[in-house]
Amino acid sequence: MIITSLNNEHIKEINKLKEKKYRDITNTFLIEGEHLIKEALLEGLVKELIAVDKLDFNYDGNITYVTSNVMKKLSSMESPPKIMAVVYKKEERETGNKVLILEDIQDPGNLGTIIRSSLAFGVDTLVLSPKTVDLYNPKVIRATKGMIFHLNIIVRDLEPFIESLKKEKYQIFGTKVDGGRDIRKVTIPSKYAIIMGNEGQGMSEKLSKLCDENIYIKISNQVESLNVAVASSIILYEVYNNESNQNR
Amino acid sequence: MIITSLNNEHIKEINKLKEKKYRDITNTFLIEGEHLIKEALLEGLVKELIAVDKLDFNYDGNITYVTSNVMKKLSSMESPPKIMAVVYKKEERETGNKVLILEDIQDPGNLGTIIRSSLAFGVDTLVLSPKTVDLYNPKVIRATKGMIFHLNIIVRDLEPFIESLKKEKYQIFGTKVDGGRDIRKVTIPSKYAIIMGNEGQGMSEKLSKLCDENIYIKISNQVESLNVAVASSIILYEVYNNESNQNR
């Protein structure tokens, strides 16, 4: 059966997942396009597929077939995909030893890009402040290129969370545009957390006080700062290479 | 005098700058918000300001005062700014020794971020293929954080341009997701050009053939590739630090 009506009850339920409220209640969210779906399938997170055409890959779960018109209603994109999915949010795992903390990042593209780089450079756990842009925003998900399904990502009140890490002997690194030590000259221990601040304001004073050390990236004095996703990625890249050198 | 009418001829002329065609004919483009305007003023590129309120900084050029309603028409943003400007495109300078080449980058945020990082890490000249997203797209300009006014950026057909660089003894580095040499192990000479490929396809075969060497960034095998603005920035960061070490 192909659902043709925009007023179909099942379609209306799925469409509600565009709102954060319903994503939180159901613990599920929507993804669009085959690439993301294949990444979600790898982790067993697909609840249901919504497709316009017959699948050209193996899948033995629930499928709802719909018309292009229905797909257009469900999609967040100007050119709707041929396939979407309702997927479960990944369950939280225990916090690993390599932690990246984001304080109030606002741009969905930045968050998605940081998720992609975090996995590329061996971060175990990504921690988001409650005011960070919603992780399940379609633009965030697209920018992760599917890496959202493979990384342990948690939302926490940052002050008490960092306090608890300190008790467990994590070394806490803050980031500042100037001040602190050049990232190339810092030795990162095996248990660490790195804090990246908001796009406009940088890291807050209250978190700054909790840091053992501040680090920065040397740039030309013509430029005030780097994009936060770029700065995060360069720091993670340095730490990752630092570790590989030590392990040799 | 405050212009209140959306049909005012001068406002209609300015509004045309939303289209690439008119930006090309007049050699000017629109920018929004005080931060960008201050960066443009530093380079003497402001042709005319458009403001809702009296200025709180020194400026003795042309100003057109408008109502919020007119500003809303001219702005590309959901919350229109209090001030906009018509600015001249920067004149091309001679190609420097440190060149970054972008092949068909499509995402405005990526291009803007690469411009910001290029200036942060000492690139002299940024070269865009004709199919790259338009440099004067408002989203590109915003993502540059005003750095668009300080960098030499040119548009060229890449094959003949790279051929000409080779004749002038530039070393040409291609970038590939795998294959080539780890960027940390490459010594970059004083005259170089680095090519970054398109978001989806990477660097094309035809440009690949022109490269003296391919470089890559080591990442976890869980991840296929980095975001192109991140990859560009990490490579430029390495080259920049490489050079500072050599100069010590």
Side-chain angles (χ1 to χ4, degrees), chain B residues 167-207:
Chain B
K167 279 182 194 141
E168 294 173 43
K169 311 286 184 211
Y170 284 75
Q171 192 146 355
I172 314 296
F173 294 92
T175 47
K176 292 207 162 173
V177 169
D178 44 19
R181 271 213 291 173
D182 185 337
I183 175 70
R184 288 178 89 86
K185 288 170 189 149
V186 177
T187 307
I188 306 284
S190 56
K191 280 176 88 167
Y192 66 80
I194 297 166
I195 306 170
M196 301 297 305
N198 162 278
E199 287 94 346
Q201 279 81 49
M203 189 176 61
S204 68
E205 221 14 74
K206 66 177 200 268
L207 296 192

mmCIF file of all heavy atoms in Angstrom, chain B residues 167-207:
data_model
loop_
_atom_site.group_PDB
_atom_site.id
_atom_site.type_symbol
_atom_site.label_atom_id
_atom_site.label_comp_id
_atom_site.label_asym_id
_atom_site.label_seq_id
_atom_site.Cartn_x
_atom_site.Cartn_y
_atom_site.Cartn_z
ATOM 1 N N LYS B 167 54.885 26.671 -14.348
ATOM 2 C CA LYS B 167 55.971 27.312 -15.108
ATOM 3 C C LYS B 167 56.767 28.267 -14.224
ATOM 4 O O LYS B 167 57.948 28.484 -14.447
ATOM 5 C CB LYS B 167 55.397 28.077 -16.304
ATOM 6 C CG LYS B 167 55.092 27.161 -17.472
ATOM 7 C CD LYS B 167 54.570 27.921 -18.688
ATOM 8 C CE LYS B 167 53.956 26.909 -19.666
ATOM 9 N NZ LYS B 167 52.742 27.413 -20.302
ATOM 10 N N GLU B 168 56.073 28.825 -13.234
ATOM 11 C CA GLU B 168 56.763 29.750 -12.323
ATOM 12 C C GLU B 168 57.293 29.049 -11.076
ATOM 13 O O GLU B 168 57.522 29.687 -10.052
ATOM 14 C CB GLU B 168 55.819 30.894 -11.943
ATOM 15 C CG GLU B 168 55.473 31.776 -13.132
ATOM 16 C CD GLU B 168 54.401 32.791 -12.781
ATOM 17 O OE1 GLU B 168 54.491 33.383 -11.692
ATOM 18 O OE2 GLU B 168 53.449 32.951 -13.569
ATOM 19 N N LYS B 169 57.424 27.730 -11.171
ATOM 20 C CA LYS B 169 58.083 26.926 -10.125
ATOM 21 C C LYS B 169 57.323 26.836 -8.801
ATOM 22 O O LYS B 169 57.941 26.636 -7.744
ATOM 23 C CB LYS B 169 59.514 27.451 -9.833
ATOM 24 C CG LYS B 169 60.379 27.674 -11.059
ATOM 25 C CD LYS B 169 60.840 26.347 -11.644
ATOM 26 C CE LYS B 169 61.794 26.591 -12.841
ATOM 27 N NZ LYS B 169 61.659 25.501 -13.832
ATOM 28 N N TYR B 170 56.032 27.033 -8.843
ATOM 29 C CA TYR B 170 55.242 26.719 -7.654
ATOM 30 C C TYR B 170 55.191 25.200 -7.525
ATOM 31 O O TYR B 170 55.050 24.503 -8.541
ATOM 32 C CB TYR B 170 53.803 27.213 -7.785
ATOM 33 C CG TYR B 170 53.602 28.692 -7.609
ATOM 34 C CD1 TYR B 170 53.966 29.583 -8.615
ATOM 35 C CD2 TYR B 170 53.014 29.193 -6.457
ATOM 36 C CE1 TYR B 170 53.766 30.952 -8.477
ATOM 37 C CE2 TYR B 170 52.801 30.557 -6.308
ATOM 38 C CZ TYR B 170 53.177 31.427 -7.318
ATOM 39 O OH TYR B 170 52.963 32.766 -7.167
ATOM 40 N N GLN B 171 55.263 24.697 -6.294
ATOM 41 C CA GLN B 171 55.016 23.266 -6.111
ATOM 42 C C GLN B 171 53.512 23.074 -5.884
ATOM 43 O O GLN B 171 52.899 23.793 -5.096
ATOM 44 C CB GLN B 171 55.830 22.733 -4.938
ATOM 45 C CG GLN B 171 55.826 21.219 -4.912
ATOM 46 C CD GLN B 171 57.128 20.645 -4.392
ATOM 47 O OE1 GLN B 171 58.078 21.368 -4.129
ATOM 48 N NE2 GLN B 171 57.172 19.330 -4.234
ATOM 49 N N ILE B 172 52.934 22.128 -6.600
ATOM 50 C CA ILE B 172 51.476 21.933 -6.569
ATOM 51 C C ILE B 172 51.130 20.709 -5.722
ATOM 52 O O ILE B 172 51.537 19.593 -6.031
ATOM 53 C CB ILE B 172 50.908 21.741 -8.002
ATOM 54 C CG1 ILE B 172 51.469 22.781 -8.986
ATOM 55 C CG2 ILE B 172 49.383 21.745 -7.976
ATOM 56 C CD1 ILE B 172 51.108 24.213 -8.701
ATOM 57 N N PHE B 173 50.347 20.940 -4.661
ATOM 58 C CA PHE B 173 49.925 19.850 -3.779
ATOM 59 C C PHE B 173 48.442 19.568 -3.969
ATOM 60 O O PHE B 173 47.615 20.478 -3.843
ATOM 61 C CB PHE B 173 50.178 20.205 -2.312
ATOM 62 C CG PHE B 173 51.639 20.324 -1.976
ATOM 63 C CD1 PHE B 173 52.277 21.549 -2.047
ATOM 64 C CD2 PHE B 173 52.372 19.199 -1.619
ATOM 65 C CE1 PHE B 173 53.629 21.659 -1.749
ATOM 66 C CE2 PHE B 173 53.722 19.300 -1.323
ATOM 67 C CZ PHE B 173 54.359 20.533 -1.395
ATOM 68 N N GLY B 174 48.127 18.329 -4.251
ATOM 69 C CA GLY B 174 46.732 17.915 -4.295
ATOM 70 C C GLY B 174 46.338 17.336 -2.945
ATOM 71 O O GLY B 174 47.196 17.022 -2.124
ATOM 72 N N THR B 175 45.034 17.219 -2.710
ATOM 73 C CA THR B 175 44.586 16.607 -1.462
ATOM 74 C C THR B 175 43.674 15.438 -1.791
ATOM 75 O O THR B 175 42.796 15.529 -2.651
ATOM 76 C CB THR B 175 43.810 17.612 -0.594
ATOM 77 O OG1 THR B 175 42.861 18.298 -1.414
ATOM 78 C CG2 THR B 175 44.743 18.626 0.011
ATOM 79 N N LYS B 176 43.908 14.328 -1.097
ATOM 80 C CA LYS B 176 43.083 13.142 -1.285
ATOM 81 C C LYS B 176 42.737 12.567 0.074
ATOM 82 O O LYS B 176 43.491 12.717 1.036
ATOM 83 C CB LYS B 176 43.860 12.092 -2.084
ATOM 84 C CG LYS B 176 44.103 12.519 -3.521
ATOM 85 C CD LYS B 176 44.231 11.312 -4.413
ATOM 86 C CE LYS B 176 44.031 11.719 -5.861
ATOM 87 N NZ LYS B 176 44.320 10.606 -6.775
ATOM 88 N N VAL B 177 41.586 11.922 0.148
ATOM 89 C CA VAL B 177 41.175 11.326 1.405
ATOM 90 C C VAL B 177 42.162 10.230 1.809
ATOM 91 O O VAL B 177 42.506 10.079 2.974
ATOM 92 C CB VAL B 177 39.738 10.784 1.296
ATOM 93 C CG1 VAL B 177 39.390 9.935 2.501
ATOM 94 C CG2 VAL B 177 38.760 11.944 1.177
ATOM 95 N N ASP B 178 42.613 9.451 0.851
ATOM 96 C CA ASP B 178 43.680 8.502 1.153
ATOM 97 C C ASP B 178 44.669 8.531 -0.006
ATOM 98 O O ASP B 178 44.360 8.964 -1.107
ATOM 99 C CB ASP B 178 43.148 7.087 1.397
ATOM 100 C CG ASP B 178 42.103 6.722 0.366
ATOM 101 O OD1 ASP B 178 42.048 7.371 -0.694
ATOM 102 O OD2 ASP B 178 41.339 5.786 0.626
ATOM 103 N N GLY B 179 45.817 8.070 0.235
ATOM 104 C CA GLY B 179 46.855 8.127 -0.794
ATOM 105 C C GLY B 179 47.609 9.413 -0.616
ATOM 106 O O GLY B 179 47.082 10.399 -0.117
ATOM 107 N N GLY B 180 48.848 9.397 -1.027
ATOM 108 C CA GLY B 180 49.679 10.572 -0.835
ATOM 109 C C GLY B 180 50.427 10.500 0.480
ATOM 110 O O GLY B 180 50.474 9.444 1.119
ATOM 111 N N ARG B 181 50.977 11.638 0.900
ATOM 112 C CA ARG B 181 51.781 11.650 2.119
ATOM 113 C C ARG B 181 51.067 12.370 3.247
ATOM 114 O O ARG B 181 50.364 13.358 3.024
ATOM 115 C CB ARG B 181 53.115 12.355 1.837
ATOM 116 C CG ARG B 181 54.153 11.350 1.334
ATOM 117 C CD ARG B 181 55.546 11.722 1.777
ATOM 118 N NE ARG B 181 56.018 12.921 1.105
ATOM 119 C CZ ARG B 181 57.148 13.518 1.431
ATOM 120 N NH1 ARG B 181 57.897 13.055 2.427
ATOM 121 N NH2 ARG B 181 57.538 14.595 0.779
ATOM 122 N N ASP B 182 51.260 11.879 4.459
ATOM 123 C CA ASP B 182 50.722 12.510 5.662
ATOM 124 C C ASP B 182 51.215 13.960 5.716
ATOM 125 O O ASP B 182 52.421 14.203 5.633
ATOM 126 C CB ASP B 182 51.224 11.713 6.877
ATOM 127 C CG ASP B 182 50.626 12.192 8.190
ATOM 128 O OD1 ASP B 182 50.185 13.366 8.270
ATOM 129 O OD2 ASP B 182 50.614 11.397 9.141
ATOM 130 N N ILE B 183 50.300 14.899 5.858
ATOM 131 C CA ILE B 183 50.646 16.325 5.871
ATOM 132 C C ILE B 183 51.725 16.645 6.920
ATOM 133 O O ILE B 183 52.543 17.542 6.734
ATOM 134 C CB ILE B 183 49.367 17.198 6.088
ATOM 135 C CG1 ILE B 183 49.691 18.694 6.238
ATOM 136 C CG2 ILE B 183 48.541 16.738 7.261
ATOM 137 C CD1 ILE B 183 50.174 19.365 4.998
ATOM 138 N N ARG B 184 51.770 15.860 7.992
ATOM 139 C CA ARG B 184 52.788 16.119 9.032
ATOM 140 C C ARG B 184 54.191 15.754 8.581
ATOM 141 O O ARG B 184 55.164 16.125 9.223
ATOM 142 C CB ARG B 184 52.452 15.333 10.306
ATOM 143 C CG ARG B 184 51.258 15.913 11.037
ATOM 144 C CD ARG B 184 50.913 15.116 12.259
ATOM 145 N NE ARG B 184 51.610 15.541 13.455
ATOM 146 C CZ ARG B 184 51.194 16.518 14.263
ATOM 147 N NH1 ARG B 184 50.111 17.194 13.979
ATOM 148 N NH2 ARG B 184 51.871 16.833 15.351
ATOM 149 N N LYS B 185 54.272 15.015 7.489
ATOM 150 C CA LYS B 185 55.606 14.563 7.051
ATOM 151 C C LYS B 185 56.051 15.284 5.781
ATOM 152 O O LYS B 185 57.062 14.930 5.183
ATOM 153 C CB LYS B 185 55.586 13.056 6.838
ATOM 154 C CG LYS B 185 55.524 12.335 8.170
ATOM 155 C CD LYS B 185 55.254 10.864 8.060
ATOM 156 C CE LYS B 185 54.986 10.313 9.451
ATOM 157 N NZ LYS B 185 54.062 9.183 9.436
ATOM 158 N N VAL B 186 55.286 16.279 5.368
ATOM 159 C CA VAL B 186 55.602 16.972 4.115
ATOM 160 C C VAL B 186 56.285 18.297 4.440
ATOM 161 O O VAL B 186 55.844 19.031 5.314
ATOM 162 C CB VAL B 186 54.306 17.244 3.316
ATOM 163 C CG1 VAL B 186 54.599 18.024 2.042
ATOM 164 C CG2 VAL B 186 53.607 15.936 2.995
ATOM 165 N N THR B 187 57.365 18.585 3.742
ATOM 166 C CA THR B 187 57.966 19.911 3.867
ATOM 167 C C THR B 187 57.444 20.761 2.720
ATOM 168 O O THR B 187 57.547 20.381 1.555
ATOM 169 C CB THR B 187 59.500 19.831 3.790
ATOM 170 O OG1 THR B 187 59.922 18.873 4.754
ATOM 171 C CG2 THR B 187 60.129 21.184 4.121
ATOM 172 N N ILE B 188 56.847 21.884 3.078
ATOM 173 C CA ILE B 188 56.234 22.739 2.067
ATOM 174 C C ILE B 188 57.255 23.828 1.681
ATOM 175 O O ILE B 188 57.788 24.508 2.552
ATOM 176 C CB ILE B 188 54.940 23.380 2.618
ATOM 177 C CG1 ILE B 188 53.968 22.311 3.156
ATOM 178 C CG2 ILE B 188 54.278 24.257 1.567
ATOM 179 C CD1 ILE B 188 53.207 21.519 2.143
ATOM 180 N N PRO B 189 57.528 23.977 0.385
ATOM 181 C CA PRO B 189 58.502 24.983 -0.044
ATOM 182 C C PRO B 189 57.919 26.390 0.037
ATOM 183 O O PRO B 189 56.748 26.556 0.384
ATOM 184 C CB PRO B 189 58.766 24.597 -1.496
ATOM 185 C CG PRO B 189 57.504 23.953 -1.949
ATOM 186 C CD PRO B 189 56.903 23.281 -0.750
ATOM 187 N N SER B 190 58.699 27.393 -0.289
ATOM 188 C CA SER B 190 58.233 28.777 -0.116
ATOM 189 C C SER B 190 57.203 29.189 -1.181
ATOM 190 O O SER B 190 56.408 30.091 -0.954
ATOM 191 C CB SER B 190 59.410 29.736 -0.123
ATOM 192 O OG SER B 190 60.141 29.549 -1.317
ATOM 193 N N LYS B 191 57.223 28.549 -2.346
ATOM 194 C CA LYS B 191 56.194 28.845 -3.363
ATOM 195 C C LYS B 191 55.333 27.605 -3.558
ATOM 196 O O LYS B 191 55.806 26.601 -4.085
ATOM 197 C CB LYS B 191 56.853 29.201 -4.709
ATOM 198 C CG LYS B 191 57.361 30.624 -4.786
ATOM 199 C CD LYS B 191 58.073 30.883 -6.098
ATOM 200 C CE LYS B 191 57.122 31.327 -7.192
ATOM 201 N NZ LYS B 191 57.879 31.876 -8.361
ATOM 202 N N TYR B 192 54.098 27.698 -3.120
ATOM 203 C CA TYR B 192 53.258 26.506 -3.231
ATOM 204 C C TYR B 192 51.824 26.866 -3.580
ATOM 205 O O TYR B 192 51.374 27.997 -3.356
ATOM 206 C CB TYR B 192 53.282 25.701 -1.931
ATOM 207 C CG TYR B 192 52.653 26.429 -0.762
ATOM 208 C CD1 TYR B 192 51.267 26.466 -0.593
ATOM 209 C CD2 TYR B 192 53.432 27.094 0.173
ATOM 210 C CE1 TYR B 192 50.688 27.140 0.463
ATOM 211 C CE2 TYR B 192 52.858 27.775 1.241
ATOM 212 C CZ TYR B 192 51.491 27.795 1.372
ATOM 213 O OH TYR B 192 50.914 28.471 2.415
ATOM 214 N N ALA B 193 51.128 25.880 -4.132
ATOM 215 C CA ALA B 193 49.669 25.963 -4.284
ATOM 216 C C ALA B 193 49.084 24.641 -3.800
ATOM 217 O O ALA B 193 49.589 23.570 -4.144
ATOM 218 C CB ALA B 193 49.302 26.216 -5.726
ATOM 219 N N ILE B 194 48.050 24.746 -2.974
ATOM 220 C CA ILE B 194 47.368 23.558 -2.449
ATOM 221 C C ILE B 194 45.957 23.542 -3.030
ATOM 222 O O ILE B 194 45.268 24.561 -3.005
ATOM 223 C CB ILE B 194 47.300 23.600 -0.912
ATOM 224 C CG1 ILE B 194 48.712 23.561 -0.320
ATOM 225 C CG2 ILE B 194 46.448 22.461 -0.359
ATOM 226 C CD1 ILE B 194 48.783 23.938 1.149
ATOM 227 N N ILE B 195 45.557 22.406 -3.552
ATOM 228 C CA ILE B 195 44.220 22.286 -4.173
ATOM 229 C C ILE B 195 43.280 21.511 -3.257
ATOM 230 O O ILE B 195 43.605 20.407 -2.816
ATOM 231 C CB ILE B 195 44.313 21.533 -5.523
ATOM 232 C CG1 ILE B 195 45.333 22.203 -6.449
ATOM 233 C CG2 ILE B 195 42.926 21.454 -6.189
ATOM 234 C CD1 ILE B 195 45.659 21.372 -7.692
ATOM 235 N N MET B 196 42.108 22.083 -2.976
ATOM 236 C CA MET B 196 41.068 21.380 -2.226
ATOM 237 C C MET B 196 39.893 21.118 -3.171
ATOM 238 O O MET B 196 39.446 22.021 -3.886
ATOM 239 C CB MET B 196 40.561 22.228 -1.058
ATOM 240 C CG MET B 196 41.612 22.638 -0.041
ATOM 241 S SD MET B 196 42.427 21.276 0.868
ATOM 242 C CE MET B 196 41.035 20.390 1.572
ATOM 243 N N GLY B 197 39.373 19.896 -3.129
ATOM 244 C CA GLY B 197 38.286 19.523 -4.045
ATOM 245 C C GLY B 197 36.907 19.817 -3.493
ATOM 246 O O GLY B 197 36.745 20.244 -2.350
ATOM 247 N N ASN B 198 35.937 19.546 -4.313
ATOM 248 C CA ASN B 198 34.517 19.740 -4.016
ATOM 249 C C ASN B 198 34.045 18.823 -2.867
ATOM 250 O O ASN B 198 34.584 17.748 -2.656
ATOM 251 C CB ASN B 198 33.759 19.440 -5.323
ATOM 252 C CG ASN B 198 32.310 19.182 -5.124
ATOM 253 O OD1 ASN B 198 31.898 18.083 -4.779
ATOM 254 N ND2 ASN B 198 31.511 20.198 -5.323
ATOM 255 N N GLU B 199 32.980 19.283 -2.154
ATOM 256 C CA GLU B 199 32.457 18.564 -0.989
ATOM 257 C C GLU B 199 32.103 17.101 -1.288
ATOM 258 O O GLU B 199 32.397 16.213 -0.496
ATOM 259 C CB GLU B 199 31.201 19.252 -0.430
ATOM 260 C CG GLU B 199 31.465 20.542 0.310
ATOM 261 C CD GLU B 199 31.338 21.777 -0.569
ATOM 262 O OE1 GLU B 199 31.312 21.609 -1.814
ATOM 263 O OE2 GLU B 199 31.268 22.894 -0.036
ATOM 264 N N GLY B 200 31.434 16.867 -2.409
ATOM 265 C CA GLY B 200 30.969 15.507 -2.684
ATOM 266 C C GLY B 200 32.031 14.646 -3.369
ATOM 267 O O GLY B 200 32.272 13.511 -2.982
ATOM 268 N N GLN B 201 32.672 15.225 -4.380
ATOM 269 C CA GLN B 201 33.535 14.422 -5.257
ATOM 270 C C GLN B 201 35.021 14.495 -4.926
ATOM 271 O O GLN B 201 35.805 13.714 -5.435
ATOM 272 C CB GLN B 201 33.372 14.864 -6.721
ATOM 273 C CG GLN B 201 32.159 14.286 -7.428
ATOM 274 C CD GLN B 201 30.899 15.047 -7.082
ATOM 275 O OE1 GLN B 201 30.868 16.254 -7.138
ATOM 276 N NE2 GLN B 201 29.867 14.314 -6.697
ATOM 277 N N GLY B 202 35.439 15.464 -4.142
ATOM 278 C CA GLY B 202 36.874 15.665 -3.928
ATOM 279 C C GLY B 202 37.509 16.294 -5.166
ATOM 280 O O GLY B 202 36.807 16.805 -6.043
ATOM 281 N N MET B 203 38.826 16.211 -5.247
ATOM 282 C CA MET B 203 39.561 16.835 -6.349
ATOM 283 C C MET B 203 39.371 16.024 -7.635
ATOM 284 O O MET B 203 39.362 14.800 -7.605
ATOM 285 C CB MET B 203 41.045 16.873 -5.969
ATOM 286 C CG MET B 203 41.912 17.675 -6.900
ATOM 287 S SD MET B 203 43.636 17.735 -6.292
ATOM 288 C CE MET B 203 44.062 15.988 -6.296
ATOM 289 N N SER B 204 39.198 16.699 -8.761
ATOM 290 C CA SER B 204 38.947 15.999 -10.020
ATOM 291 C C SER B 204 40.221 15.343 -10.557
ATOM 292 O O SER B 204 41.333 15.745 -10.222
ATOM 293 C CB SER B 204 38.402 16.976 -11.059
ATOM 294 O OG SER B 204 39.422 17.898 -11.409
ATOM 295 N N GLU B 205 40.010 14.362 -11.411
ATOM 296 C CA GLU B 205 41.114 13.639 -12.041
ATOM 297 C C GLU B 205 41.992 14.604 -12.846
ATOM 298 O O GLU B 205 43.214 14.522 -12.811
ATOM 299 C CB GLU B 205 40.516 12.560 -12.955
ATOM 300 C CG GLU B 205 41.166 11.222 -12.980
ATOM 301 C CD GLU B 205 42.158 10.905 -11.864
ATOM 302 O OE1 GLU B 205 41.786 10.660 -10.705
ATOM 303 O OE2 GLU B 205 43.367 10.914 -12.184
ATOM 304 N N LYS B 206 41.347 15.537 -13.548
ATOM 305 C CA LYS B 206 42.126 16.412 -14.427
ATOM 306 C C LYS B 206 43.073 17.327 -13.640
ATOM 307 O O LYS B 206 44.174 17.615 -14.097
ATOM 308 C CB LYS B 206 41.227 17.209 -15.392
ATOM 309 C CG LYS B 206 40.299 18.222 -14.749
ATOM 310 C CD LYS B 206 39.522 18.976 -15.840
ATOM 311 C CE LYS B 206 38.979 20.287 -15.297
ATOM 312 N NZ LYS B 206 37.626 20.190 -14.753
ATOM 313 N N LEU B 207 42.677 17.731 -12.439
ATOM 314 C CA LEU B 207 43.595 18.534 -11.615
ATOM 315 C C LEU B 207 44.628 17.639 -10.924
ATOM 316 O O LEU B 207 45.785 18.018 -10.751
ATOM 317 C CB LEU B 207 42.841 19.352 -10.573
ATOM 318 C CG LEU B 207 41.891 20.429 -11.103
ATOM 319 C CD1 LEU B 207 41.456 21.343 -9.969
ATOM 320 C CD2 LEU B 207 42.527 21.245 -12.229
#
